[in-house]
Amino acid sequence: MRIAVITFPGSNCDQDCHRSVEAAGATAVPVWHREISLGGTDAVIVPGGFAHGDYLRPGAIARFSPIMTPVVEFARAGRLVVGICNGFQILCEAGLLPGALLRNRSLRFQSHDCALRVERSDTPFTSRYREGQVIRMPLAHADGNYYADRGALEELESEGRVLFRYSDAEGESTEEANPNGSLNRIAGIVNEGGNVLGLMPHPDRAIDLALGSQDGLPLFESLVDSVHQRTPAQMAAAEGRALAGTAR
Amino acid sequence: MSRFRVEVLVTPRPGLLDPEGGAIHHALASLGYDEVAEVRVGKAIYLEVAADSAATAAARVEESCRRLLANPVTEDFTVTVRGEA
Amino acid sequence: MSRFRVEVLVTPRPGLLDPEGGAIHHALASLGYDEVAEVRVGKAIYLEVAADSAATAAARVEESCRRLLANPVTEDFTVTVRGEA
Amino acid sequence: MSRANGAPRPRPGDPPITPELVEDHGLSPSEYELIVEIMGREPTFTELGVFSAMWSEHCGYKNSKRLLRLLPTTAPWVIQGPGENAGVIDIGGGWALAFKMESHNHPSAVEPYQGAATGVGGILRDVFTMGARPVATLNSLHFGDLEGARVRYLLAGVVRGVGDYGNCVGIPSMGGEVHFDRGYEENPIVNAMCLGIMRCDELIRGTAEGVGNTLMAVGARTGRDGIHGATFASEELSEGDDEASRPQVQVGDPYTEKLLLEASLELIASGEIVGIQDMGAAGLTSSGAEMAGRSGTGVEMDVARVPVRAEAMTPYEILLSESQERMLVVARAGREEAACQILEKWELEAATIGQVTDRGTFRVLEDGVPVAEIPALPLTEGCPAYERPGEESGEVRALRAQDISRYGELSGDDLRVAFLEVVGTPAVASKQWIYEQYDTTVRASSIERPGGSAGLIRIPGTDLGVAASTDCNGRHCYLDPRSGAAGAVVEAARNVACTGATPLAITNCLNFGSPLKAEIRHQFREAVLGIRDACAHLETPVTGGNVSFYNETDGKAVYPTPVIGMVGTIADVANVVGHSFRRPGDAILLLGHNRGELGGSEYLYALHGVVAGEPPRVDLEAERALTRCLPAMAARGVLGSAHDVATGGLAATLAECCLGRPRTGWPVGASLHLHDALPPAALLFGEDHGRVIVSASPADEAEVREIAARHGVPCTPIGTVGEERSSLRIHLRGESLELPLDLLADRYFGAIPRAMDDEP
Ligand SMILES: Nc1ncnc2c1ncn2[C@@H]1O[C@H](COP(=O)(O)OP(=O)(O)O)[C@@H](O)[C@H]1O
Ligand SMILES: [Mg+2]
């Protein structure tokens, strides 16, 4: 199985994602942002970093890179796409995920471990976790403060599309555990079709106990499992929901 | 063809929390500027644009705002032609 | 006492590198806006200020620009009263 | 390009060369005479500018190079010693480590954000132009007292600048240090260090070899920034300087840096180029002249071909501009196209500006007309070296001789209050507020992040770990520069050894006042000798460094601050030792022994406002044994934790051992019995060298003691690790303190956020 890892000028977690994919048993395929095809890969990761220096707004310039045309098509076809940190910001700017990531409430870049509660385990990205499981991984961003208007937020919640929420070590999702001011303490969400994931913390930096945590590895393993198991019917269903979502 | 100076102001949409504005407000107050009642912070982008007319320059820049310069989810913008360069 | 809307525009001083402006310029060009010849990026700060007169409001805000809102080493600023709130 | 072969003549508009102009260029009359002798004629204005940059303190090391020659620079593992962009050592497994430290003190004083940011940019370029991929940074910061609004402004700006730049390029911060003392009130010290790795055979040097090869200017365009920055960095700041310094602020663009980094490494791997060098201080001048000087060739460049950002720039300005994120590349003749393709992929601008010649000169044309031609070797190496005698200041001698013994006696509640205050001084308190603004986990290789003894990263795909620490206690150096500088070396080595790594080599940044003063020359000489002795004993040679003089405002110099950046390795990161206590019931042992040396301590400064006394002595034999003993213990897997004793003394170390890192579990208590016959405050707050607090399970304690004995390191059981969320209890002769962990945590973690969080 081959998973594309996109590199924009300014991406700096592409190698970390590459290693994470390989640790989960798949082959990582580096794809430069000026490519116009995903080369028949089975899933896509948009890694973290500072694509185009994050100038203007994080993700604002990157979403116009040539590779984003096939990525958007791929996502609309119900195939699996993951955006981590800057990747999440890019997917929001590209309209594949709702909302936006604003400046952290602290106004500072924040780099530290955080605890997350896994809200659902019945998704292509979280099947290797338990629902309610508390996981730890680093976060490192200046703009991770998730915002969506009230309607979009209600939709996310009622449709169970929040997959990861900031919490304390016991799994209580309290405001004290909210590192950046995100609405509803949202750390990661999926699109209408459930096939596009965006999250701010870095599972790609938590794949090995020597680094302090391997809680990120199941995310990549879930992805690999899902690509193996995904049936055409599931993809079509996701595609239908993704298109319905865009129409709104 | 002339060259126009165009000013784009991009501001956080009303109702959106503006932590930077809040921080500046707080700092102003602690420096004694307590007559300041509200602060909001946006971006100012200055462009020099070649066009036949000020109206064309403005129209093109407005289009670029919708596509790139502002994020419709969180930001409003205004475009003003400030004269010829 | 009235309440004035004051607009502060803070811009990078001429001659200083403005990498953000450069990146936006580049992005606009690759989106087909090649009539854009120059881009510089600054900050827009909107204040509501209580004062007897527009002139006092402007004077106070100018002072606060020198002390806090603009970095004299790298930035210039302009202050404009945009009317009463 | 050499269509005009004649000698350079003055350009229209050049000012005449007068003694005043020569002086404005920071050159003495005798230096000017030497220039005329080298040239065999009067220099043109452009040539004068080139000399002034290359013979500035910053590039020419005129007041330091003789002394620097005394430093030990060799060892079997040293691949590249001083003289290149960065030092390089062999770390085994075919891997080489490049590392270097640099100062950006003056720019940071003028504009903290951009000053610090561009400092990081420069040091990254020094490392990747050697062919090494930057894998971590450290920073050493010294500021005035945190109570001052300007200091808080400087700290906030510097930290944001260091963070924004390194975060964007994607290089994790692995550590650093921050000190606060009125000795740095006007002049902050901002030093940045970078570590990079490469395969041993990938080393490339900054040389211009092969006559006919092509010179290319790569990266950002050249603007009028920082013209005469190199001379500026070598001149004292004085009141009212802000205005004049404005155009000298350079703005960093970390995004372009990231592109340069990737493109440079790809270029080097491609074999299409023979040399590459950062256009750092003195820009095109120093990069061109140094590349020619190192390879014994010559270079010729036409400034009209250099891509510029501003209009009507003169050759003088183009040669001396310090615009950031630019590199000079020497491409193989005929391979320029291939090199350009790589640069285009990374969206970088590149221009062919000249070629390597056999004229032995640094030759500059403007649109084909010669404007400068200077013999390359004398330009780079011929700067006169001075070694004028120094003399210790009587004031310092008196401070050192002061009797401070009365401060050692404290008892009861006073002792407890002092304990909490020491743990909560900004110099001792957690630097979490700072290092959490730095990305510490990008590259997914951080084994020990900031907040412990030293940082440690893993080389991807291997078990090999690299540790590093930056250290300098300027207050100790002020009171006694020789033992203070040696102390910086041994402290850095101890920090590295605490992780289980073996210290291997150092880089340094020597931050001092004006060398025109005898007392500063004394400090500098003593500090260099201190480093020499310590490095020789520890077998950690010096592979490079940086000298920053003129850190003065209105005649008041900073403390002598020779910052040491120590690197070391550990064969298997599975054996890395953390700094904090882990398991209740573990034995706590002291390696080394307590001497109660309060001179120059944080306790005296923070609680009594006193900077006096004899700073802690350095016993180099004992330090050598200690730094060998710790890796041996780590390799046996018998240590639960290891943390060295430095600023704030035992009090700080014990608090840190209990509190651990923020956000990672609960702190654990400890119960200690100290039997030393020393005054209580001297025992708890003395900053005596040569000490490390370790913990070990009861089963491993015997082996720890045995390994210590084998290395001749004193090892004393002093207590036991307690329960989570309990307290730190210390019994000393006749006194007993109980410090609840939540109170300690509030002091230790809360001090800097409380001071800073009201800042805009
Ligand atoms: N400016 C900084 N940047 C990154 N890490 C820092 C900085 N200052 C301090 N730290 C980290 O905080 C910890 C404590 O620093 P310090 O008090 O200087 O320790 P020590 O005295 O043991 O050298 C170290 O792990 C260090 O790396
Ligand atoms: Mg230290």
Side-chain angles (χ1 to χ4, degrees), chain C residues 13 15-17 19 71-74, chain D residues 110-111 246 249 251 253 309 760:
Chain C
R13 298 190 66 164
L16 279 190
L17 183 72
N71 179 345
V73 182
T74 54
Chain D
V110 175
E111 213 307 283
R246 276 174 200 180
V249 172
V251 173
D253 177 5
R309 206 174 76 227

Side-chain angles (χ1 to χ4, degrees), chain C:
Chain C
M1 235 13 179
S2 313
R3 213 154 139 178
F4 295 93
R5 286 185 292 109
V6 184
E7 178 186 288
V8 176
L9 298 182
V10 181
T11 51
R13 298 190 66 164
L16 279 190
L17 183 72
D18 175 14
E20 180 155 28
I24 294 175
H25 189 179
H26 189 79
L28 284 171
S30 60
L31 284 179
Y33 298 96
D34 29 30
E35 69 265 44
V36 175
E38 214 200 300
V39 183
R40 294 191 65 82
V41 181
K43 228 186 315 217
I45 308 176
Y46 303 90
L47 306 131
E48 284 193 17
V49 184
D52 310 339
S53 68
T56 331
R60 285 286 281 174
V61 172
E62 265 165 37
E63 187 194 289
S64 76
C65 282
R66 279 189 295 275
R67 292 179 61 191
L68 176 75
L69 300 181
N71 179 345
V73 182
T74 54
E75 296 170 330
D76 292 330
F77 63 86
T78 61
V79 173
T80 318
V81 178
R82 290 264 172 237
E84 293 196 31

Side-chain angles (χ1 to χ4, degrees), chain B residues 7-22:
Chain B
E7 177 186 290
V8 176
L9 299 180
V10 180
T11 50
R13 301 190 64 164
L16 205 73
L17 200 69
D18 173 17
E20 186 165 8

Side-chain angles (χ1 to χ4, degrees), chain D residues 139-141 173-179 427-429 431 434-435 438 449-455 469-471 491 495 643-644 646-647 656 748:
Chain D
N139 58 111
S140 170
L141 311 177
S173 168
M174 71 191 288
E177 59 168 348
V178 191
H179 292 270
V428 170
K431 310 303 184 295
I434 292 159
Y435 60 70
Y438 304 154
R449 304 181 200 170
S453 301
S469 179
T470 56
D471 291 280
E491 184 187 344
N495 279 324
H643 196 30
D644 93 306
T647 310
E656 288 172 348
Y748 180 70

Side-chain angles (χ1 to χ4, degrees), chain D residues 302-586:
Chain D
D302 192 323
V303 290
R305 299 185 179 197
V306 175
V308 291
R309 206 174 76 227
E311 274 160 42
M313 288 184 69
T314 63
Y316 181 98
E317 290 174 319
I318 292 172
L319 287 172
L320 298 182
S321 159
E322 295 193 349
S323 291
Q324 298 287 302
E325 290 95 21
R326 299 177 303 155
M327 317 260 267
L328 186 64
V329 169
V330 182
R332 286 183 201 284
R335 305 302 304 161
E336 298 86 350
E337 220 14 69
C340 281
Q341 266 169 21
I342 293 173
L343 293 164
E344 258 163 44
K345 169 186 166 192
W346 291 102
E347 307 191 350
L348 290 166
E349 201 172 350
T352 295
I353 61 167
Q355 69 232 2
V356 179
T357 68
D358 55 6
R359 296 167 72 108
T361 60
F362 176 69
R363 181 171 156 85
V364 182
L365 313 176
E366 181 186 25
D367 220 354
V369 179
V371 291
E373 179 157 19
I374 305 173
L377 209 58
L379 179 59
T380 55
E381 305 299 322
C383 172
Y386 305 111
E387 192 181 354
R388 282 166 293 200
E391 194 188 333
E392 181 165 40
S393 116
E395 197 184 328
V396 171
R397 208 173 312 129
L399 284 175
R400 194 170 54 233
Q402 234 176 66
D403 176 16
I404 50 164
S405 57
R406 70 196 141 107
Y407 298 109
E409 297 299 342
L410 268 190
S411 61
D413 208 41
D414 291 345
L415 192 59
R416 182 172 180 279
V417 167
F419 194 107
L420 289 169
E421 283 195 31
V422 166
V423 167
T425 68
V428 170
S430 168
K431 310 303 184 295
Q432 176 189 8
W433 187 91
I434 292 159
Y435 60 70
E436 286 194 348
Q437 296 187 54
Y438 304 154
D439 196 333
T440 52
T441 51
V442 60
R443 297 187 51 79
S445 58
S446 310
I447 307 293
E448 277 286 305
R449 304 181 200 170
S453 301
L456 196 143
I457 52 157
R458 177 173 57 185
I459 309 275
T462 73
D463 295 325
L464 182 61
V466 174
S469 179
T470 56
D471 291 280
C472 180
N473 186 318
R475 203 182 291 140
H476 293 179
C477 294
Y478 176 62
L479 291 169
D480 183 341
R482 190 182 297 213
S483 78
V489 176
V490 300
E491 184 187 344
R494 248 176 3 240
N495 279 324
V496 164
C498 279
T499 66
T502 303
L504 289 178
I506 72 157
T507 179
N508 63 65
C509 221
L510 309 178
N511 308 275
F512 287 77
S514 165
L516 306 179
K517 294 182 189 159
E519 63 187 76
I520 303 288
R521 291 197 296 270
H522 169 83
Q523 290 175 342
F524 187 78
R525 181 185 167 80
E526 288 293 298
V528 168
L529 296 177
I531 295 171
R532 177 198 65 180
D533 296 346
C535 285
H537 258 85
L538 300 183
E539 284 179 85
T540 53
V542 181
T543 63
N546 178 259
V547 178
S548 170
F549 279 130
Y550 301 100
N551 291 286
E552 304 201 343
T553 300
D554 299 326
K556 190 174 175 312
V558 294
Y559 288 159
T561 310
V563 177
I564 303 300
M566 176 74 70
V567 298
T569 56
I570 184 166
D572 186 349
V573 294
N575 293 329
V576 168
V577 179
H579 80 290
S580 57
F581 297 149
R582 293 197 308 184
R583 295 161 303 232
D586 275 7

Side-chain angles (χ1 to χ4, degrees), chain D residues 61 68 71-74 78-89 97-103 123 126 130 192-194 504-510 531 535 540-547 562-567:
Chain D
Y61 287 87
L68 294 177
L71 294 172
T73 58
T74 56
V78 174
I79 299 175
Q80 175 67 60
E84 268 288 345
N85 295 340
V88 183
I89 61 169
L97 178 73
F99 62 105
K100 174 84 184 290
M101 183 159 31
E102 189 144 286
S103 67
I123 198 63
D126 276 344
M130 300 296 290
M193 175 172 170
C194 178
L504 289 178
I506 72 157
T507 179
N508 63 65
C509 221
L510 309 178
I531 295 171
C535 285
T540 53
V542 181
T543 63
N546 178 259
V547 178
V563 177
I564 303 300
M566 176 74 70
V567 298

